[in-house]
Amino acid sequence: MPLKGVGTQFSQGRLKGRRATVLGGVIIGHIALLSACSTGPGDLASTSDTHAEVAVSPPPPPPPPPSLLQAETVAVTRSRVAKVGANGFYAPPVVVPRDPGRERYDGEEVAPVKLTNAEPVSTFSVDVDTGAYANTRRFLRQGALPPRDAVRTEEMINYFRYDYDKPTGKSAPFTTNIDVAKTPWNDDTYLMRVGLRGYDIARDERPASNLVFLMDVSGSMGRPDKLPLVKTALAGLANELGEQDRVSIVVYAGAAGLVLEPTNSTAKIRSALNQLNAGGSTAGGAGIELAYNIAEDNFIEGGVNRVILATDGDFNVGVSDRDALVEMVERNRDRGITLTTLGFGTGNYNEALMEQIANHGNGNYAYIDSALEAKKVLGDEMSSTLFTIAKDVKIQVEFNPAVISQYRLVGYENRALREEDFDNDAVDAGDIGAGHQVTAIYEVVPTGTKGWIAPRRYEDQPQQAATNRVAEAAHVKLRYKMPTGTRSKLLENVVMSDAFTRAGAPRGDFAFAAAVAAYGQLLRGDELMMEFSHDDVSVLAGRQSNFWRQEFLELNALAGAANPIQRGGG
């Protein structure tokens, strides 16, 4: 609908403008004349005639023609404002905005290739974290590649579930699944997948839980992707509680305090969460100490005693020294109080600290970038998040040099253990929760096939013991303790050589796992991916019906389209 009077006001405005221009010209002319009349005698001609003429300076030269002017006309380009010069347009360089680099990561270099003759044994601790996958998703959704140090391929692989055999009973808390396939990105190598699946706990069989929500309410948590999302996540977890469970809430900002005493009332938990607001600095160390004290005061023998820390990781006040925090976390871990860390937000995110203290706390680390992810981690997967069925789980693989000449473990760089740590029950390792799965993938080179490292001139041939067992390609061992046990148990499996001679291209479930592994390695800049591309990853993964797997295909496409020189984070 047209506005009344707009045309009239516009016409009157133009008329007033013209009048003002004419009037201004008249005034300026009078001022010039008065200035001439008021000049001193030295400026006048020497005469007594009353009509003597005033000496006037010659007029200035006319301006040059328009073609000789240095144009200062402003033109707008797609990048930024540019000046129009005589010889055309000048567009200054486009400046790509960069992240200020306040996010902190502590990544490892891509694991090197091992020569089986020199290092036949590979040992590592299992990892059940998934935070790197969700955090990487956040970067890709924002149109940037993640920092290489933020990518941990094992967490990419373990974000998904696979078709592993279920355990038949509680006597053995998980099954071991091993399969072999040809490597999609290297015709001279094979992939060996080792998968564990823990047994599920029925809802009525769950042990009682003593949970302490430790919430960062400092000023940095005020953004919509931080404290509001924390409330959503923890409120969802509260819905999963039973009558025997108890929840306490501790908050920290400039100081730490208890805002909700132990309760199993969902209404009280929601009410306490809704009343929290962000503000102040971050006394993270003090908050953790108080949370552990509350957990100890309400300790449940034989139950789950856990602190769940929700923060952006910006520990800038209090016990911020990493070593001091790790010592505190390990001390309480040994007393039976574990730690889960939930990361939120962007900008000042300290993932390095979040992931490390969760590992030392025998808990798990997850990054929550949406309400849907919160439901997945703290709702759908609560059993695997909270209820431990096996602790200090270690995997050791010994390759037969007569069959396998070279190998590398894909991921797990920050979970590597020394060979002697495998049999040492005093060495801490990762835990597996109810229904949880753990997957590890080795890439191996059969003896006699071209590998990554050229043959050595003076290299020894495999020893007699290796050639005598040429039917065996690898010996896979697992150690674990029961949740309340102190001595480990051993499981052993032998991978026969014919598994490699019979292997074909990975299919179905294995193909998808290999695709996720390739996706992670490409994001890390792995130079051994043999020109394998994100398009190849999509083809390998195949069509998927599961929501999370479909999302993976979308993220892989985003990664393939992202500018390789534009990476987010620190």
Side-chain angles (χ1 to χ4, degrees):
M1 177 178 179
L3 298 177
K4 296 181 179 181
V6 173
T8 302
Q9 292 173 5
F10 179 74
S11 299
Q12 291 175 351
R14 289 197 301 176
L15 182 58
K16 290 179 181 179
R18 290 173 181 173
R19 288 174 179 172
T21 303
V22 173
L23 180 59
V26 173
I27 293 173
I28 292 173
H30 281 290
I31 291 173
L33 182 59
L34 290 173
S35 299
C37 294
S38 61
T39 53
D43 295 325
L44 301 176
S46 179
T47 178
S48 59
D49 191 348
T50 57
H51 296 288
E53 294 181 358
V54 177
V56 180
S57 301
S67 62
L68 299 179
L69 288 173
Q70 292 296 323
E72 292 292 332
T73 308
V74 174
V76 178
T77 69
R78 288 194 304 173
S79 57
R80 56 180 293 182
V81 174
K83 292 183 179 180
V84 181
N87 297 324
F89 287 81
Y90 166 72
V94 176
V95 178
V96 178
R98 294 185 178 273
D99 190 278
R102 295 180 60 206
E103 297 193 8
R104 282 159 283 180
Y105 299 95
D106 190 19
E108 303 280 348
E109 295 292 330
V110 174
V113 171
K114 305 288 187 181
L115 289 171
T116 311
N117 262 338
E119 298 179 75
V121 178
S122 169
T123 309
F124 64 96
S125 165
V126 300
D127 189 1
V128 295
D129 296 337
T130 60
Y133 183 90
N135 191 34
T136 294
R137 175 174 59 203
R138 184 251 300 188
F139 281 104
L140 293 174
R141 292 289 190 201
Q142 293 174 348
L145 291 173
R148 286 188 174 90
D149 286 346
V151 181
R152 290 182 293 278
T153 302
E154 71 276 9
E155 294 186 26
M156 304 288 177
I157 299 170
N158 287 316
Y159 188 82
F160 301 96
R161 297 186 64 81
Y162 304 99
D163 296 331
Y164 296 145
D165 295 335
K166 295 181 179 180
T168 56
K170 296 182 180 179
S171 56
F174 49 81
T175 60
T176 305
N177 303 262
I178 303 174
D179 45 8
V180 177
K182 290 184 177 179
T183 305
W185 53 86
N186 190 334
D187 293 337
D188 296 319
T189 66
Y190 290 78
L191 299 180
M192 186 179 82
R193 179 174 64 157
V194 180
L196 311 180
R197 176 171 178 169
Y199 70 82
D200 296 304
I201 296 180
R203 190 178 184 89
D204 57 358
E205 295 179 354
R206 294 176 180 174
S209 297
N210 163 36
L211 308 179
V212 181
F213 293 169
L214 174 58
M215 301 176 58
D216 181 353
V217 293
S218 61
S220 65
M221 291 290 290
R223 293 172 50 176
D225 60 346
K226 295 187 179 182
L227 186 57
L229 197 52
V230 173
K231 295 179 181 180
T232 299
L234 297 184
L237 178 57
N239 291 335
E240 300 293 327
L241 300 177
E243 293 183 359
Q244 78 276 24
D245 301 322
R246 295 292 182 271
V247 166
S248 311
I249 298 180
V250 173
V251 299
Y252 64 93
L258 176 67
V259 299
L260 180 67
E261 295 185 350
T263 180
N264 68 344
S265 169
T266 302
K268 289 183 179 180
I269 296 171
R270 287 182 173 275
S271 177
L273 290 172
N274 289 336
Q275 294 177 21
L276 298 178
N277 295 299
S281 57
T282 312
I288 291 178
E289 189 170 4
L290 176 59
Y292 276 128
N293 290 339
I294 299 298
E296 185 177 13
D297 291 342
N298 298 276
F299 192 87
I300 299 176
E301 290 291 342
V304 175
N305 298 279
R306 181 165 299 198
V307 172
I308 300 177
L309 168 62
T311 179
D312 58 7
D314 186 19
F315 288 79
N316 54 27
V317 178
V319 185
S320 59
D321 179 72
R322 177 192 174 279
D323 292 338
L325 281 173
V326 167
E327 183 179 351
M328 179 191 302
V329 168
E330 289 181 340
R331 184 170 62 250
N332 284 278
R333 175 199 70 197
D334 295 339
R335 295 191 298 178
I337 303 173
T338 55
L339 175 69
T340 285
T341 58
L342 305 177
F344 295 82
T346 64
N348 59 344
Y349 187 51
N350 188 349
E351 198 233 33
L353 184 61
M354 298 287 286
E355 194 255 348
Q356 290 171 7
I357 62 175
N359 288 346
H360 289 279
N362 275 9
N364 59 294
Y365 155 65
Y367 182 81
I368 309 296
D369 59 339
S370 66
L372 197 60
E373 182 70 11
K375 181 180 182 300
K376 179 178 184 290
V377 172
L378 296 177
D380 302 340
E381 299 176 354
M382 190 189 77
S383 293
S384 58
T385 302
L386 296 179
F387 306 116
T388 300
I389 61 171
K391 65 181 183 180
D392 293 339
V393 183
K394 309 168 189 174
I395 297 178
Q396 186 171 83
V397 179
E398 180 181 0
F399 291 101
N400 183 349
V403 180
I404 304 297
S405 63
Q406 301 171 30
Y407 69 91
R408 66 171 181 151
L409 176 60
V410 179
Y412 289 94
E413 285 87 356
N414 67 345
R415 292 284 190 159
L417 298 175
R418 299 173 301 179
E419 183 177 352
E420 60 267 29
D421 292 338
F422 183 75
D423 292 325
N424 186 352
D425 285 347
V427 175
D428 183 69
D431 295 357
I432 294 179
H436 216 120
Q437 296 185 349
V438 177
T439 300
I441 295 178
Y442 283 91
E443 185 175 3
V444 304
V445 178
T447 299
T449 303
K450 179 182 178 181
W452 302 288
I453 301 175
R456 295 174 177 175
R457 181 180 180 88
Y458 304 109
E459 186 175 48
D460 293 333
Q461 295 298 313
Q463 295 182 1
Q464 191 64 39
T467 56
N468 288 344
R469 295 180 180 269
V470 73
E472 299 179 1
H475 184 206
V476 180
K477 298 188 293 184
L478 295 100
R479 280 203 176 275
Y480 69 95
K481 299 173 187 171
M482 298 302 288
T484 58
T486 56
R487 300 192 62 176
S488 65
K489 298 182 178 181
L490 176 65
L491 297 177
E492 299 180 85
N493 291 270
V494 174
V495 183
M496 305 306 293
S497 300
D498 62 359
F500 293 87
T501 58
R502 292 184 288 104
R507 296 180 179 179
D509 205 49
F510 195 172
F512 184 80
V516 179
Y519 165 80
Q521 294 300 97
L522 288 175
L523 290 175
R524 297 199 65 193
D526 183 2
E527 297 178 352
L528 298 182
M529 291 306 295
M530 309 292 288
E531 298 183 356
F532 205 71
S533 69
H534 286 284
D535 288 340
D536 296 322
V537 170
S538 178
V539 173
L540 178 60
R543 298 182 64 180
Q544 299 293 328
S545 58
N546 174 274
F547 169 81
W548 299 105
R549 293 192 177 195
Q550 289 178 337
E551 183 192 54
F552 166 78
L553 294 176
E554 296 175 2
L555 296 176
N556 177 65
L558 290 176
N563 187 340
I565 66 172
Q566 185 173 351
R567 286 187 178 267

